[in-house]
Amino acid sequence: MTHPNASWLFYKAYYHGIDFRKTDLKDKRVKEADEIAFRAANERLLRVELPATAFDPLDGTGTVTELVTTYPGLLIGSGYQHETGRLGEFKLGFFFDHSSGLPILPGSSIKGMLRSCFREPELIRHYLNNQNLDVKALEMDIFEGKRYDEDKKAWLPKPMREHDTFFDAFPVNSTNGKDRRLFDPDFITPHNPTLGEMRAFKDPIPVAFLKVRAGIVYRFRFELHNSPGANAGQKQILFSSLIRDFGLGAKTNVGYGHFVEAGGQQGGPQGSGQPERRVGELDQLEELTFANLRTAQRRGAMVQGLVRDNQNGQLTVELRYEGGVLRSVIPYNASASIPVNALVNLKVTDPGNPDRKVAARFSFGGFVRK
């Protein structure tokens, strides 16, 4: 059977071959026995495949967005305990749906990540292309089900039937051809902290962990209603864009948990509900200054750039800056999905320092829409 319950394999059957009566973990024979047992357990996990028919317990509920994991994959539940200190085991925890054993993204986590984006009102105004949007009112309506009553000067709850609902996201397909395996192993290599200044060069300690592979299609479901400043369709596109651009799960700052659109990965046709990818020329862009970049960073606002290259998990973008051209290379795992000459939004992560010749740095903030 290629799709057993991975949760049971990971948290129960995983330790069945370990003799916990042997507590001397430095003993060579104990190490060898543990390594053999965990190698077999790991291989069972890595053979787990998606079911032939998509497991979707919410079929027919709400509206659907399907997104695909990108390299290096998706890491969820890493904070759960899953370590005995023995050789060969996966050291980090993982989160599974209890009944199906599939690696799901809980609706509560999706909701929390999306709400965190509302801490930057200019970001939400930009995505919805509405500079006059009352972001606080939209946030309260979506995430708390409340609207402001001018007469009573208070936030009052809406009827429950009008609340937006965020459902768990399930893996339903694979873009890896006939290979429908769900998981891959991965490693991090922290160094010994007791070695002083030389610790970066001595005694790396590989830590193995489990992750969802790149190329796994996740189905996100929402039940949305019209809100002040954004209707249900606009919110669906907003949520999809935020998930793609900011990611979900752990270690998103180093590339895990990022997604691209299912299908062509270049956006749908007009009328499909997906944002259109604009192309342009450099002289169409507003000329920026160091003061502009510093203000944009402080306010969480975006600046615009032009993609010149999209190879090897990096975007090379150009901006008009201080009477010339500023070129910046941005790590982005799904770089191949961003067309050359596309007009894109960039988040200023560091405005740099012209006096010290420190270059500005940016992160990808989505496509510029018409």
Side-chain angles (χ1 to χ4, degrees):
M1 185 177 182
T2 54
H3 47 85
N5 190 300
S7 179
W8 184 80
L9 289 178
F10 190 73
Y11 283 109
K12 298 295 184 181
Y14 197 73
Y15 295 102
H16 284 180
I18 304 300
D19 187 351
F20 287 102
R21 294 172 298 178
K22 297 178 179 179
T23 57
D24 185 0
L25 302 186
K26 295 182 180 180
D27 184 276
K28 182 178 179 180
R29 289 172 296 181
V30 174
K31 286 183 177 181
E32 290 177 350
D34 288 348
E35 190 171 14
I36 291 171
F38 282 128
R39 185 184 300 121
N42 293 344
E43 288 176 355
R44 288 194 295 270
L45 273 166
L46 297 176
R47 287 197 300 267
V48 173
E49 296 183 353
L50 280 163
T53 302
F55 179 78
D56 187 355
L58 300 170
D59 190 22
T61 303
T63 55
V64 171
T65 294
E66 291 191 351
L67 302 174
V68 186
T69 57
T70 64
Y71 181 84
L74 173 65
L75 183 58
I76 44 181
S78 59
Y80 287 100
Q81 182 67 30
H82 189 266
E83 181 178 359
T84 62
R86 293 173 179 265
L87 188 65
E89 67 183 344
F90 287 134
K91 301 296 185 183
L92 302 183
F94 209 87
F95 183 79
F96 302 91
D97 174 53
H98 179 73
S99 59
S100 68
L102 292 171
I104 68 168
L105 287 160
S108 57
S109 297
I110 297 168
K111 182 178 181 180
M113 171 269 170
L114 292 171
R115 185 166 192 177
S116 71
C117 296
F118 279 70
R119 296 172 185 167
E120 302 292 344
E122 289 302 321
L123 178 69
I124 304 303
R125 293 189 183 103
H126 172 80
Y127 273 90
L128 290 173
N129 195 26
N130 182 354
Q131 295 305 309
N132 297 316
L133 177 68
D134 186 340
V135 177
K136 180 64 176 178
L138 181 60
E139 177 185 2
M140 293 293 289
D141 188 273
I142 293 173
F143 299 104
E144 295 193 20
K146 295 180 179 180
R147 290 185 179 172
Y148 192 74
D149 188 301
E150 290 289 349
D151 295 331
K152 297 183 179 180
K153 304 299 181 184
W155 294 97
L156 300 182
K158 302 188 301 181
M160 285 300 298
R161 65 179 180 274
E162 297 179 13
H163 284 218
D164 291 336
T165 307
F166 300 77
F167 297 102
D168 298 342
F170 282 80
V172 295
N173 207 345
S174 172
T175 62
N176 298 317
K178 294 182 179 180
D179 187 352
R180 295 177 63 80
R181 290 179 299 119
L182 267 169
F183 304 108
D184 270 342
D186 209 338
F187 300 86
I188 53 177
T189 52
H191 294 261
N192 192 326
T194 66
L195 299 175
E197 295 180 359
M198 297 302 293
R199 66 180 179 273
F201 305 99
K202 293 183 178 181
D203 294 342
I205 306 169
V207 175
F209 59 91
L210 190 69
K211 67 178 182 181
V212 176
R213 307 179 70 204
I216 301 300
V217 180
Y218 270 79
R219 183 174 293 167
F220 295 81
R221 286 189 181 275
F222 307 95
E223 190 167 325
L224 304 175
H225 305 273
N226 294 337
S227 298
N231 61 35
Q234 290 173 315
K235 291 195 290 186
Q236 177 91 4
I237 295 173
L238 171 66
F239 295 163
S240 176
S241 299
L242 292 173
I243 291 169
R244 289 200 316 271
D245 294 342
F246 293 94
L248 286 162
K251 295 171 72 68
T252 54
N253 61 322
V254 292
Y256 291 86
H258 288 268
F259 297 83
V260 292
E261 296 164 1
Q265 299 186 0
Q266 296 291 335
Q270 289 188 2
S272 67
Q274 299 296 345
E276 185 177 349
R277 281 47 171 147
R278 292 184 60 188
V279 298
E281 298 295 334
L282 198 62
D283 58 11
Q284 296 175 336
L285 303 181
E286 177 186 358
E287 184 168 327
L288 301 168
T289 64
F290 170 67
N292 293 147
L293 297 186
R294 187 170 55 184
T295 300
Q297 182 198 32
R298 186 170 63 250
R299 295 181 177 178
M302 300 284 189
V303 298
Q304 292 184 5
L306 195 65
V307 175
R308 292 306 195 190
D309 189 65
N310 61 356
Q311 303 296 314
N312 303 319
Q314 295 180 326
L315 292 175
T316 301
V317 297
E318 291 184 346
L319 306 86
R320 292 181 63 194
Y321 180 71
E322 300 281 7
V325 177
L326 172 62
R327 175 168 283 210
S328 181
V329 177
I330 301 171
Y332 188 68
N333 291 313
S335 62
S337 68
I338 312 300
V340 173
N341 293 328
L343 287 172
V344 295
N345 296 304
L346 303 171
K347 185 175 182 179
V348 183
T349 57
D350 185 345
N353 189 322
D355 294 336
R356 298 182 180 179
K357 297 184 179 180
V358 176
R361 293 186 295 171
F362 308 89
S363 61
F364 180 65
F367 293 94
V368 175
R369 304 177 187 174
K370 287 185 177 180

